[in-house]
Every structure is written in structure tokens, then in C-alpha cells.
Amino acid sequence: AIVGNPNSGKTSLFNIIAGTHERVGNYSGVTVDAKSGHRQHGNYELHITDLPGTYALSPYSPEELYVRRHLVDNTPDVVLNVVCASNIERNLYLTTELIDMSQRMVIGLNMYDELQRNGATLDDDMLGKMMGVPMFPVEGHKGKGLEVLLDTIVAVHETRDERVRHIHIYQGIVEESVMVLNKQMKEHREELPKCFSPRYLAMKMLEGDEE
């Protein structure tokens, strides 16, 4: 599943990956849609869904609901999180939510050429290791970095990528409450939805997230 902020260039990347093998689908009662497609890569046929652009995974907009429901109902083997390299601080908020959900993930730093044109540099290898998520530059409109991206998605799926590790995003003044609820929820793990970690559910409870 391809997840990212609006205007992150994820649909351009999807179009390059899927070529003409795409179709549009939607959930009943939701006024947004997603494209799905496929591509042969090595011994794998990759089934790819380009989800609507969203800034968060809260239940406050149709796009947010759509993306979260897709991750629940059609839990992907790997999430491709497309991040606009030239606007990384805002884009990484969604990334931290995906980490909290315990999604297996690869980050594609799109529009990397814009960051370079602005004279900025980014140690993407170090940042990826710190976050426990493989991360590297791509240029969706040119297809640059595509083969490395697809190889990494396969490696993450096969649990061969040594950069992958699970971290916790520190929640500031509510961290103590998150830890208490997380501990209690872990004791009843078999009763909870398997698509979410107990820690993520603890945070949603504290937020008053009814869904």
C-alpha cells in the first residue's frame, strides 16, 4: 500500500510502478477512491494500492478514514510511505503514526532533487537507521531509484533487511498513561484487533477515538 501526504508525488510513483495495469476502487459510503495495480518484480507479482493523500490517520476526514480502514481490512505486507524530501518535518508526522501502528514499511524520499536544488543535504541512511525503517531517495516522475525501492520492499517482506527494527515514538506528557494502558492491553492481546499494536490502541483510547 502506498501512503503519503497530498502532493508528496506518491501517485506519480505509483504510475511508474504499475504502468497501465491499474484500476480505481472505493469503499461504499466514502467519497474517496484508490488506484490499484500490479507489477512483476523478480519472482514476485506485486499488488499495489495507491491510497488517498492524507496528513494523519485520525478519523476526522473521509481520506483519513479510508486509509485507516484499508490498513485494517486489507493489511498490506509492506507499506510504501512516500515522503516529500523537501518538506520532511511535516511529512514525517504520518510516518510516526504508521510506526505506532507497527506497519512494516519502506520510506521513499520523493522530490529529492528539489531538496538538493535548495542547497540542503539529508543523511537519509542515518535517519532510516534511527527510525528502524529503510529510507532512500526516489524521483517518482523519472522512475529514478525504482529498482532499489522494489528490491527493498521484497527484502522487508522477507525479513531480510537488517535496518528494520521497531521503535516507540515518545508521547511527551501522556507517555506514562500510554505505558499503563499498553501494559494492561497486552495482558488481553487475544481479544484485540490483530492489525493494531496494543500501544497504538492505547493512544487511540486516550485520544477519545470512537472508531
Side-chain angles (χ1 to χ4, degrees):
I2 304 180
V3 180
N5 286 188
N7 303 313
S8 62
K10 64 182 184 55
T11 297
S12 296
L13 189 58
F14 168 80
N15 290 336
I16 290 286
I17 296 173
T20 57
H21 307 293
E22 62 181 61
R23 61 185 176 84
V24 175
N26 56 51
Y27 282 103
S28 60
V30 181
T31 57
V32 294
D33 57 54
K35 287 183 178 179
S36 60
H38 59 91
R39 178 193 180 103
Q40 194 70 32
H41 184 72
N43 296 324
Y44 280 90
E45 182 173 337
L46 306 178
H47 293 263
I48 312 131
T49 302
D50 176 31
L51 293 171
T54 181
Y55 294 109
L57 296 175
S58 303
Y60 303 123
S61 75
E63 289 80 12
E64 291 169 348
L65 275 173
Y66 189 110
V67 172
R68 197 166 74 176
R69 285 176 182 171
H70 182 91
L71 295 175
V72 173
D73 298 339
N74 306 280
T75 305
D77 295 312
V78 181
V79 168
L80 170 56
N81 178 208
V82 179
V83 169
C84 177
S86 61
N87 195 5
I88 195 165
E89 184 175 2
R90 185 175 71 174
N91 278 230
L92 286 181
Y93 177 74
L94 178 61
T95 305
T96 63
E97 290 198 290
L98 292 165
I99 289 173
D100 287 328
M101 289 176 71
S102 298
Q103 295 286 333
R104 284 197 290 183
M105 183 164 49
V106 174
I107 295 175
L109 291 167
N110 206 11
M111 305 180 190
Y112 203 81
D113 49 339
E114 290 185 17
L115 179 138
Q116 292 175 318
R117 277 199 300 270
N118 292 332
T121 58
L122 173 65
D123 190 343
D124 49 88
D125 183 59
M126 177 60 72
L127 183 58
K129 287 176 181 175
M130 288 171 63
M131 298 182 72
V133 182
M135 173 189 298
F136 46 84
V138 293
E139 291 181 34
H141 58 293
K142 296 179 181 177
K144 189 175 180 180
L146 183 62
E147 290 302 310
V148 176
L149 174 70
L150 297 178
D151 287 344
T152 305
I153 288 171
V154 169
V156 169
H157 170 62
E158 294 179 345
T159 65
R160 289 189 288 106
D161 197 304
E162 295 179 353
R163 291 168 291 186
V164 176
R165 65 187 178 92
H166 185 68
I167 67 169
H168 287 158
I169 307 299
Y170 181 68
Q171 298 298 320
I173 60 172
V174 298
E175 180 64 29
E176 185 177 348
S177 300
V178 171
M179 289 174 64
V180 170
L181 276 174
N182 181 39
K183 182 176 182 294
Q184 293 173 344
M185 287 186 169
K186 278 184 176 178
E187 295 170 359
H188 301 275
R189 185 69 181 98
E190 70 283 354
E191 301 173 43
L192 299 171
K194 291 181 172 55
C195 52
F196 294 138
S197 69
R199 181 178 171 86
Y200 180 78
L201 291 168
M203 288 189 288
K204 295 293 108 179
M205 181 178 285
L206 287 169
E207 288 175 11
D209 187 330
E210 292 184 8
E211 190 180 68

